[in-house]
Amino acid sequence: MSCIKRICIFVCFMTLQASEYHSYDSTSPRILRSFDLDSQFLPQQYEQRDAIKENSQYFLKRFENSYMFIPIIRNMITQERLPQEFLFVAMVESEFITNAQSSKRATGIWQIIPTTAKSLGLEINDYIDERKDPIKSTRAALMYLKYLYNQTGQWYLAVMAYNCGYTRLQKAIQQAGGDTSLHVLIDDNKKFLPRETRNYIRKIVAMSLLFNDVDFLKENDLEYLLNRGATNTLATLKFKSGVPLGLIANSIGLSLKELRKYNTHLKYAFLPPGPASKKYNVHIPYEKLALFLQNFDSSSYKANSAFVLHKVQKGETLSSISRQYKTTISELKRINGLNSSLLTIKQKLVIPIPKKSTRKNIN
C-alpha cells in the first residue's frame, strides 16, 4: 500500500472518530478534571457511554421524572463548591428514586447505609427515615464525599470509596503496591476493587459525558436539561411534631398521596411524636408556597396532643371508625386529606386523640 493511501485511510479514520465524538471536545476535559482524571481515561469511556446510550430512553425518562429534585441537588452541589458532575453519583446510585432500597440496606437517592446515616446525623426510627429526605440526605452525602476527598486527595478515589467504603479502597491501594492510579485500581484482570466499584466510576463519568452532550440532548428534545437548576422547585417547611400531613395537603390543594411523594422520609401521614422544640421538614412544590401561607391554619391541630394510627379492617367504614374514636367523619376526612368516604382494607388512618385520652397506637 502506498504512503499516500495509508495517509488517506488514516485521515478518514480520524475524521470518523472526530465526527462520532466531536460533541465531547469542549466538555470532556472539564468533566475529567472534575473527577481529577486525565485525558488517558477518556477512550475507556466510549464503550461504557455507548452501553448507556443503548438504554438512553430509559435513563432520559428517569432524568425527566426527577424534575422536582434535580434542581435542588444541583444548587446544593454548587453551594458546597463541588463539581456539578457529582449529580450523576446520585443518578447511578438510585436513578433519583427517593425510596430506593438495596439488598445491603442502603436507602434513598444517595443509597446511604444505616451506620453511615447515623454518623452523618440522619434520623432513622419507627416514624422517619431521613435518608429518604431529598434535602437532608443530599446535604449528608455531600458532606461524606468531602470527607472522603480529604482522606484520599483525589475526587475519583473519593467517589469509589463512597461505593465500596474507605477501608476497602485502602486495602485495594495496598494490594496495588501503593499505586492510586485509576487505570491500575480498576484493572479488570488484577481485580483490586470489586467489579461493582470498577464499573461505578466508569458509569458516573460516562453518564456525565452523555448528559452534557448537546447533540445527544438536542436529538431527544431535551437540551433544556443542560440549564435545569436555575429555579426553585421545592419549598421546605418546618413543623412541630404530630402535625397531620392531610392538613398541609388540603391547604395547598394536593391529595395526601401526592404530598407524600415529596416526603417519603415520613413513614406515616403525620409528623413523628417528639418534644415541642423539635421540628421536621415537609417539602411542597414551590409553586404551592403562596397557597400554603394563605390557607394553612396552625390552630387546627393545637387542640390535639397526639395522633394514633388505625389500620382499616374488613367491614369498617369512616362512620364506624369515627364512632369508635368519638370523632366525626368530616374530621377524619380533614386530617387524612380524604376526598371521599371510600376506604381500603389495611389502609392506615390518622386518628386525632384528645389530651385526656390514653389510647395506645393501633398498628
Side-chain angles (χ1 to χ4, degrees):
M1 183 183 294
S2 69
C3 180
I4 293 177
K5 282 185 178 180
R6 279 196 292 268
I7 292 173
C8 288
I9 290 172
F10 176 75
V11 169
C12 289
F13 174 75
M14 293 304 294
T15 301
L16 287 172
Q17 289 290 90
S19 174
E20 184 176 1
Y21 302 123
H22 74 280
S23 59
Y24 290 134
D25 289 346
S26 61
T27 60
S28 58
R30 174 183 59 78
I31 291 170
L32 290 176
R33 284 195 303 271
S34 69
F35 293 102
D36 292 327
L37 296 170
D38 57 39
S39 58
Q40 293 179 353
F41 184 61
L42 189 61
Q44 302 177 40
Q45 290 308 293
Y46 294 139
E47 183 178 347
Q48 184 71 53
R49 182 215 60 175
D50 290 341
I52 292 173
K53 199 169 184 179
E54 286 180 9
N55 296 300
S56 62
Q57 292 308 310
Y58 172 78
F59 290 114
L60 286 169
K61 190 69 175 175
R62 288 301 325 147
F63 208 87
E64 192 57 9
N65 288 346
S66 306
Y67 72 96
M68 194 59 74
F69 302 118
I70 288 175
I72 300 285
I73 297 173
R74 273 188 163 159
N75 287 337
M76 293 179 75
I77 289 173
T78 299
Q79 289 168 11
E80 292 295 329
R81 298 181 179 180
L82 294 179
Q84 278 294 305
E85 284 66 38
F86 279 40
L87 173 73
F88 296 99
V89 174
M91 179 66 175
V92 172
E93 284 285 353
S94 68
E95 299 172 3
F96 303 115
I97 300 171
T98 56
N99 58 355
Q101 292 183 318
S102 78
S103 58
K104 297 178 181 177
R105 299 178 65 205
T107 295
I109 289 176
W110 295 92
Q111 289 292 279
I112 304 173
I113 61 174
T115 52
T116 302
K118 291 176 182 177
S119 71
L120 293 170
L122 296 177
E123 190 173 354
I124 304 173
N125 56 42
D126 291 338
Y127 297 94
I128 191 170
D129 187 341
E130 290 184 333
R131 294 177 296 170
K132 298 180 183 181
D133 183 323
I135 307 299
K136 284 198 170 183
S137 67
T138 296
R139 187 174 295 115
L142 297 182
M143 183 193 309
Y144 187 45
L145 280 165
K146 289 172 77 171
Y147 163 78
L148 292 171
Y149 174 74
N150 289 334
Q151 295 296 111
T152 63
Q154 301 287 342
W155 278 121
Y156 69 85
L157 293 175
V159 168
M160 291 193 296
Y162 188 91
N163 176 258
C164 68
Y166 178 66
T167 301
R168 181 66 184 84
L169 176 68
Q170 287 297 101
K171 180 181 177 181
I173 293 173
Q174 289 173 2
Q175 290 175 337
D179 195 336
T180 60
S181 303
L182 182 63
H183 71 276
V184 171
L185 293 176
I186 65 171
D187 189 298
D188 290 326
N189 293 317
K190 296 179 180 177
K191 301 179 181 178
F192 293 127
L193 286 166
R195 181 179 179 182
E196 178 186 332
T197 305
R198 299 198 304 271
N199 289 330
Y200 184 74
I201 186 65
R202 292 171 177 141
K203 286 179 182 177
I204 291 169
V205 175
M207 196 80 72
S208 300
L209 291 168
L210 190 62
F211 277 85
N212 280 278
D213 180 349
V214 177
D215 291 339
F216 168 71
L217 293 177
K218 278 182 178 179
E219 289 170 8
N220 291 276
D221 297 321
L222 292 171
E223 188 180 2
Y224 69 91
L225 290 178
L226 287 170
N227 301 315
R228 174 170 282 177
T231 59
N232 290 319
T233 51
L234 284 181
T236 300
L237 308 170
K238 298 282 188 180
F239 291 95
K240 294 179 181 179
S241 62
V243 178
L245 295 184
L247 294 180
I248 302 170
N250 282 341
S251 73
I252 59 176
L254 281 185
S255 68
L256 178 60
K257 182 179 180 181
E258 184 70 15
L259 179 63
R260 295 194 71 180
K261 286 181 182 178
Y262 308 120
N263 296 278
T264 51
H265 57 294
L266 300 171
K267 296 183 180 181
Y268 302 112
F270 61 91
L271 294 182
S277 59
K278 189 168 178 110
K279 292 187 177 180
Y280 296 92
N281 284 355
V282 175
H283 310 300
I284 65 172
Y286 190 81
E287 73 236 23
K288 299 286 186 179
L289 182 57
L291 266 178
F292 170 81
L293 295 174
Q294 178 182 342
N295 297 331
F296 186 75
D297 180 10
S298 60
S299 66
S300 62
Y301 64 88
K302 286 182 179 178
N304 299 296
S305 62
F307 295 88
V308 297
L309 293 174
H310 177 89
K311 187 182 290 185
V312 177
Q313 305 297 315
K314 184 177 181 180
E316 286 188 322
T317 63
L318 276 181
S319 178
S320 66
I321 294 170
S322 66
R323 288 195 302 272
Q324 178 182 345
Y325 290 96
K326 296 181 173 56
T327 185
T328 65
I329 294 175
S330 60
E331 179 71 356
L332 289 178
K333 283 185 174 182
R334 186 177 70 89
I335 294 295
N336 290 280
L338 300 176
N339 295 318
S340 75
S341 297
L342 296 177
L343 301 176
T344 58
I345 295 175
K346 295 185 179 180
Q347 179 178 349
K348 291 179 179 177
L349 296 178
V350 180
I351 311 293
I353 301 299
K355 291 181 180 180
K356 64 181 180 180
S357 175
T358 58
R359 285 183 185 273
K360 294 181 179 179
N361 285 16
I362 298 175
N363 296 314

